[in-house]
Amino acid sequence: MSITVRVLVVDDDALVRASLEMMLDGANGISVVGQAADGDEVPAAVDAHFPDVVLMDLRMPRVDGIVATRRVRARTDPPEVVVLTTFDTDEDVLHALRAGASGFLLKDTPPAQIVDAVRRVAAGDPILSPAITRRLMDRAATQADAHTVAQQALERLSPREYDVVLAVARGESNAQIGSELYMSVATVKAHISHILTKLGLGNRTQIALLAHDGGLA
């Protein structure tokens, strides 16, 4: 039985919304179930359409994508969020990830890669372009306050949880982590869920960011 990924498109440009809907609806296994023209419309749209993934613009006139992402991810059983923007400053990326986004893509990303990102994020696999990831992590590791806070959080982990965090920071899948650490995929998922709860994090991307803040990778 095939599973369709339900997508909510959020952008203040009507032409961009229409283009994204046409592109994504034409992809196998993806359906655009709704649109929103500003961040303040997102909560009601999520309630109305139950998306799996929100494709979120960053700069909008009333409520920006960072605030909207934070509000979405604070909900019970929230959808994943992929930021799609023309802006890629270090601050933009960092704020989006800390707000709970699982992906960050630029609007000039090829359509096939945007489609792939939606599928991957829906499956629990965070997506960032390599260039953005490297630049962000280099910056994050040099911030003294973030470094100290991250180290204090990481000290709360058990040795096994610490190993899982290192593997997540390297971008390994659950299957790869299981093979490396000699545990089942179900056990890996249980460890990750416990780490998220223990450290008050929202997703795997934030685990990786914490690891880099703490100088582990």
Side-chain angles (χ1 to χ4, degrees):
M1 180 176 178
S2 62
I3 298 176
T4 299
V5 178
R6 298 169 60 84
V7 179
L8 172 68
V9 175
V10 183
D11 199 291
D12 62 337
D13 187 323
L15 181 59
V16 171
R17 294 198 307 273
S19 297
L20 288 171
E21 179 168 5
M22 183 180 299
M23 177 186 71
L24 293 169
D25 271 342
N28 185 41
I30 296 177
S31 176
V32 174
V33 294
Q35 296 184 8
D38 201 283
D40 62 355
E41 300 176 7
V42 173
V46 170
D47 286 339
H49 302 295
F50 304 103
D52 302 302
V53 176
V54 177
L55 202 55
M56 184 83 74
D57 190 18
L58 202 59
R59 306 289 172 87
M60 293 177 284
R62 296 189 298 274
V63 174
D64 66 34
I66 302 300
V67 173
T69 296
R70 189 177 298 114
R71 291 174 179 173
V72 166
R73 293 299 299 167
R75 300 163 68 93
T76 301
D77 194 22
E80 301 293 341
V81 175
V82 176
V83 170
L84 184 65
T85 180
T86 56
F87 303 94
D88 68 339
T89 67
D90 293 348
E91 288 78 10
D92 287 332
V93 181
L94 187 60
H95 289 327
L97 297 183
R98 293 200 187 285
S102 295
F104 194 106
L105 298 172
L106 298 180
K107 286 183 178 177
D108 61 0
T109 300
Q113 291 183 24
I114 295 176
V115 170
D116 181 62
V118 168
R119 290 185 177 130
R120 288 177 59 183
V121 166
D125 185 12
I127 180 72
L128 294 171
S129 73
I132 288 177
T133 302
R134 184 68 268 160
R135 196 178 74 236
L136 171 65
M137 298 314 180
D138 286 345
R139 173 188 170 93
T142 63
Q143 294 180 336
D145 290 345
H147 183 70
T148 299
V149 171
Q151 286 190 323
Q152 291 172 345
L154 293 167
E155 288 173 357
R156 299 169 54 198
L157 299 175
S158 70
R160 203 58 164 166
E161 290 169 344
Y162 192 88
D163 290 339
V164 171
V165 166
L166 285 174
V168 170
R170 291 193 293 267
E172 296 180 10
S173 67
N174 289 342
Q176 290 171 322
I177 295 172
S179 176
E180 178 183 335
L181 300 180
Y182 302 102
M183 61 177 70
S184 68
V185 170
T187 300
V188 174
K189 290 181 178 179
H191 275 302
I192 290 174
S193 178
H194 190 246
I195 290 166
L196 292 173
T197 300
K198 179 184 284 190
L199 301 185
L201 302 176
N203 54 39
R204 291 169 68 108
T205 304
Q206 291 183 337
I207 292 177
L209 183 60
L210 183 75
H212 283 275
D213 282 349
L216 299 187

